[in-house]
Amino acid sequence: MSILAIIEIICIGLVTGTITSLIGASGVTVVVPSLTLLFGINSHLAIGTSLLVDVITSIVVSIDYIKHKNVRLQASIWITVGSIIGAQLGSHWAGIISDTKLSGIFAIMLIISGISTLRKKNNSFDPNKGVHFKSKFAQTMALLGLGFGIGIISGLVGAGGGVMVLLTIIFILHYPMHQAVGTSTVIMAITALSSLLGYARQGNVDWKYGLWIALGAVVAGIIGSRFANKIDEQKLNKVVAWVFIGLGIIMIEMKFIR
């Protein structure tokens, strides 16, 4: 691998870490399009590599939340259990899907992520508007089912599921925001690790690319988190959203139209 290639890969990590720290998006939305469009890596290998980056970055971010005692895994353990099982199933299905179809699924996910980011008005949530269950058993089954679905998505397209887990924790468990973010980050690391193991078994992880990208992502993530509150988030959301949508369209055009 040339020095120029290493610099380009680290730059991908810097962008990934910046976006993750500022708007909470999974690194998959940057890593997979970059590896497939710039380096010609197939979608299976790109997604597996992005999961490696997600695991490392999420663990680093989680440490800070744990230090501040903003992680509560007791009540949310069933999301974790469901996501681990779903991630194994999703990564297995991804292994038997053709590269072209997997690229299409990922491109559609990318466009949906961009549209969702555009529609996001703010980061404030009212727990009173969430879901309340009459029994502990019903809540447990709901958490298990939602975790399972999040895990399948993670296994298929490589997204750690951080945003989906966050929403589940807020609207069902009603955690305070700092604890919700910290807990969802830990669960995202565990879910991404489960998916990563599935891809690794099939040989669909480029460890060199992943570690170089993770290096850039960790550095940018640590720095970016310090400036997160100083940036106009709505403007940043719009820019990043249109980038996601554009990359999704480009991937579809390259895989299905040319």
Side-chain angles (χ1 to χ4, degrees):
M1 187 182 297
S2 67
I3 298 297
L4 179 60
I6 292 175
I7 293 174
E8 290 175 344
I9 293 168
I10 292 177
C11 286
I12 294 172
L14 291 172
V15 175
T16 301
T18 301
I19 291 176
T20 301
S21 63
L22 293 179
I23 68 170
S26 172
V28 69
T29 50
V30 177
V31 176
V32 172
S34 298
L35 292 180
T36 55
L37 298 177
L38 298 180
F39 293 91
I41 293 177
N42 72 67
S43 296
H44 290 87
L45 194 59
I47 290 175
T49 304
S50 77
L51 285 165
L52 173 61
V53 177
D54 258 357
V55 170
I56 295 173
T57 307
S58 299
I59 289 174
V60 172
V61 174
S62 296
I63 291 173
D64 188 60
Y65 281 100
I66 292 172
K67 286 180 179 178
H68 290 84
K69 298 181 179 180
N70 280 323
V71 174
R72 292 170 55 190
L73 288 176
Q74 293 90 339
S76 60
I77 190 66
W78 295 110
I79 305 176
T80 310
V81 172
S83 69
I84 291 172
I85 299 172
Q88 289 297 309
L89 185 60
S91 60
H92 172 73
W93 284 346
I96 60 178
I97 297 174
S98 69
D99 184 62
T100 299
K101 289 181 179 178
L102 189 61
S103 294
I105 292 171
F106 182 83
I108 293 171
M109 187 277 294
L110 201 58
I111 293 172
I112 292 173
S113 296
I115 294 173
S116 298
T117 304
L118 277 177
R119 292 173 59 88
K120 186 172 68 173
K121 301 298 182 182
N122 54 62
N123 285 325
S124 61
F125 299 92
D126 182 2
N128 294 321
K129 296 181 179 179
V131 179
H132 296 267
F133 293 91
K134 293 182 178 180
S135 69
K136 194 72 174 179
F137 178 77
Q139 176 178 286
T140 298
M141 290 296 100
L143 292 174
L144 191 62
L146 288 168
F148 182 73
I150 292 168
I152 288 179
I153 294 172
S154 172
L156 277 176
V157 300
V163 174
M164 292 178 287
V165 173
L166 178 63
L167 292 174
T168 300
I169 290 174
I170 289 172
F171 287 106
I172 294 182
L173 294 178
H174 316 293
Y175 282 11
M177 182 54 68
H178 284 90
Q179 292 183 358
V181 173
T183 305
S184 69
T185 303
V186 173
I187 294 175
M188 182 171 71
I190 296 171
T191 304
L193 177 60
S194 179
S195 299
L196 173 65
L197 294 175
Y199 276 81
R201 282 201 306 270
Q202 301 169 32
N204 285 323
V205 179
D206 191 310
W207 299 96
K208 289 183 179 179
Y209 275 79
L211 292 175
W212 280 118
I213 294 172
L215 174 63
V218 167
V219 172
I222 293 173
I223 297 174
S225 61
R226 297 179 181 178
F227 295 96
N229 294 322
K230 299 180 181 180
I231 296 176
D232 187 326
E233 185 179 338
Q234 292 304 310
K235 291 181 179 179
L236 182 64
N237 280 347
K238 289 181 180 179
V239 172
V240 175
W242 283 114
V243 170
F244 290 169
I245 293 171
L247 288 172
I249 293 172
I250 291 172
M251 288 185 70
I252 290 175
E253 192 269 340
M254 291 185 67
K255 288 289 185 177
F256 298 96
I257 298 178
R258 288 186 181 180

